Amino acid sequence: MSTALLVLTLTSPGVAQASTDVVTVQATSAATSAGKTVSVSCPNGTKVVGTGGAVTGERTTITRVRPSDDLTSAEVTAVEHGVGTVLPWTVTVRATCAPGEFTLVSKSGTKNAEATCPSAKKALGVGGETAGGHFTKMAPKSNLKSGLVETSGDGDVTAHAICGTRPGLVLRGGTPTVVVTKTASKSVACQGDEQVVSAGGAVGGGIIEDVTPAGAGATVTGEGTDAQGQAIRWSITPYVVCSQ
């Protein structure tokens, strides 16, 4: 079982840019059987507005999705859990970058945390760190005034909200889908000529596996099983922050 927020495949940082001022950068670690951190930097003149990560392999989990304090880079940490695995696995970080003045606001709590943006600023993207459990939510609040992070455990957690302004900001998604399979995915898209700024996701009764900004929207994947690994009834909800 792996817990993640994003899936990409690169062995070194890369940049992909469309006809927009939002740029995507991504990197993937080497494949080993040990905890690891991977980072990526935004191009000069841009800052992180959204970030996420992914791991491959059984019994691996992401514990940290962290933009740097100056928002010039982002990093993701993943570790093995339970009995671990002897097989090699990778961790990936992805960041969306844009020009502008943005700030990082962080807030810690137990089991969940909410980082609130200053007045007149909105939460463009959300990151998180957990000292125990799996992420069950990492997404902006519906009014885009804060970032919410929740975990399945009772350990300490930190929410990171990337705060700023962009034209026509809107949060799309938020409609849950109930499933009874072990894993499931759901997508939500920006509309018209809107640009994808960041992605988020939530699960009820399971754990987040992937949250992927992709194309015109975002996809979230989750997993819901009982102690014996059998499928249970759970829900999955995607979010995407869009701008003009």
Side-chain angles (χ1 to χ4, degrees):
M1 179 175 60
S2 64
T3 301
L5 296 176
L6 184 57
V7 173
L8 282 302
T9 53
L10 280 181
T11 55
S12 61
V15 177
Q17 185 171 11
S19 57
T20 170
D21 64 344
V22 178
V23 179
T24 300
V25 290
Q26 58 195 37
T28 296
S29 72
T32 65
S33 179
K36 55 186 72 72
T37 297
V38 63
S39 62
V40 70
S41 296
C42 285
N44 289 337
T46 66
K47 296 205 173 169
V48 177
V49 291
T51 188
V55 289
T56 60
E58 295 292 320
R59 294 179 294 278
T60 58
T61 184
I62 283 181
T63 57
R64 188 168 182 257
V65 181
R66 177 67 157 92
S68 63
D69 290 339
D70 62 3
L71 294 176
T72 60
S73 64
E75 64 182 21
V76 171
T77 299
V79 300
E80 297 181 8
H81 65 86
V83 298
T85 176
V86 298
L87 299 176
W89 53 275
T90 64
V91 57
T92 296
V93 59
R94 182 175 182 174
T96 49
C97 310
E101 294 298 323
F102 310 110
T103 58
L104 184 70
V105 176
S106 302
K107 182 71 173 181
S108 297
T110 301
K111 191 174 176 64
N112 58 72
E114 179 176 351
T116 301
C117 290
S119 177
K121 304 289 186 180
K122 292 190 175 182
L124 306 179
V126 180
E129 302 175 67
T130 176
H134 302 280
F135 289 116
T136 57
K137 185 169 188 176
M138 189 179 293
K141 200 171 181 178
S142 59
N143 61 4
L144 291 177
K145 287 302 298 177
S146 61
L148 301 171
V149 174
E150 299 175 357
T151 73
S152 60
D154 294 323
D156 294 336
V157 62
T158 300
H160 303 293
I162 301 167
C163 303
T165 59
R166 282 184 59 83
L169 274 174
V170 61
L171 179 66
R172 301 204 180 278
T175 302
T177 296
V178 176
V179 294
V180 291
T181 55
K182 289 185 178 181
T183 62
S185 299
K186 189 179 181 185
S187 300
V188 61
C190 294
Q191 298 182 5
D193 59 356
E194 293 173 346
Q195 303 172 47
V196 177
V197 176
S198 68
V203 296
I207 64 172
I208 288 175
E209 285 196 337
D210 308 301
V211 175
T212 311
T219 300
V220 58
T221 301
E223 178 181 345
T225 59
D226 61 18
Q228 289 73 43
Q230 300 300 308
I232 60 173
R233 183 181 178 88
W234 57 287
S235 65
I236 181 168
T237 308
Y239 300 88
V240 62
V241 178
C242 309
S243 75
Q244 296 293 332

